[in-house]
Amino acid sequence: FFSLPCSRVHSSGLEYNTMADPPPKKERRKRKWDDVGDLPQAQPSVKENAKVFIDGMENAPSSFGLRDRLQGPHAQYIKHIAVTAGSACEVVLKGVGSGHLDASGGQDASMRLHFDITANSAEAVSTAQQLCEDLLGTAKQQYKEYMQSLSTYASPSAPAVVPHHGYPTAP
């Protein structure tokens, strides 16, 4: 018959009675996320917003590729504007013909075509707004040249033929 010892030594060095007392609890290590609840809560940031409307090119033919000229290849122009402006700036081409689907209806927004700019600071919005206007000025110049080239190739007897890629050809 075995006799069980009535006292044991815990790893902390304390002796305890196995029959009456449970072993003392170890203090657990403090984890880095234990104090997260003690931190002050971040205040919701106020977002600044602006719109730059694309006027004067509402009736641009699809062969001109207005949306592609404003966004750039793989939206690089818009991304460049957002990165240059900084302060968590977001620039989105919205409105009729933008291809940006409205969250409520799943279709182009009913507003005119425009750049929608949102950022954490008014300075970033102003910078993005200026860059959008510069891009818009370039697109307007290209549109003017495009329309002149169409009228150059158009003859009274036959309309100009404009293939899908956007460059007019003589009939």
Side-chain angles (χ1 to χ4, degrees):
F1 185 89
F2 294 99
S3 77
L4 295 173
C6 290
S7 67
R8 290 194 171 181
V9 177
H10 189 262
S11 62
S12 64
L14 298 174
E15 188 174 325
Y16 65 95
N17 184 343
T18 58
M19 302 304 244
D21 301 329
K25 291 187 176 184
K26 284 185 175 180
E27 278 191 43
R28 71 177 174 88
R29 279 194 192 160
K30 193 173 188 178
R31 296 174 293 201
K32 61 182 172 183
W33 57 83
D34 283 343
D35 293 333
V36 170
D38 300 338
L39 296 175
Q41 297 298 318
Q43 297 296 322
S45 62
V46 177
K47 297 278 187 176
E48 301 287 330
N49 196 314
K51 291 177 177 32
V52 177
F53 286 95
I54 289 102
D55 294 324
M57 295 186 287
E58 296 85 10
N59 299 322
S62 61
S63 59
F64 176 66
L66 177 61
R67 185 179 78 188
D68 294 336
R69 290 176 191 259
L70 294 174
Q71 289 180 334
H74 305 288
Q76 287 178 346
Y77 300 161
I78 288 180
K79 290 175 187 174
H80 172 75
I81 291 170
V83 168
T84 303
S87 188
C89 184
E90 182 181 6
V91 180
V92 181
L93 186 63
K94 291 184 176 181
V96 177
S98 67
H100 181 79
L101 301 181
D102 193 11
S104 61
Q107 57 187 0
D108 280 352
S110 59
M111 290 183 82
R112 295 183 330 220
L113 191 61
H114 65 279
F115 289 108
D116 187 49
I117 304 166
T118 306
N120 290 338
S121 71
E123 182 182 325
V125 169
S126 176
T127 301
Q129 200 169 7
Q130 181 62 46
L131 291 169
C132 286
E133 288 170 0
D134 290 347
L135 176 61
L136 190 54
T138 302
K140 283 183 179 181
Q141 181 62 34
Q142 291 173 347
Y143 179 64
K144 181 180 173 184
E145 291 170 6
Y146 177 80
M147 294 308 286
Q148 286 175 348
S149 70
L150 283 181
S151 65
T152 302
Y153 288 111
S155 67
S157 60
V161 177
V162 182
H164 177 68
H165 53 78
Y167 296 103
T169 58

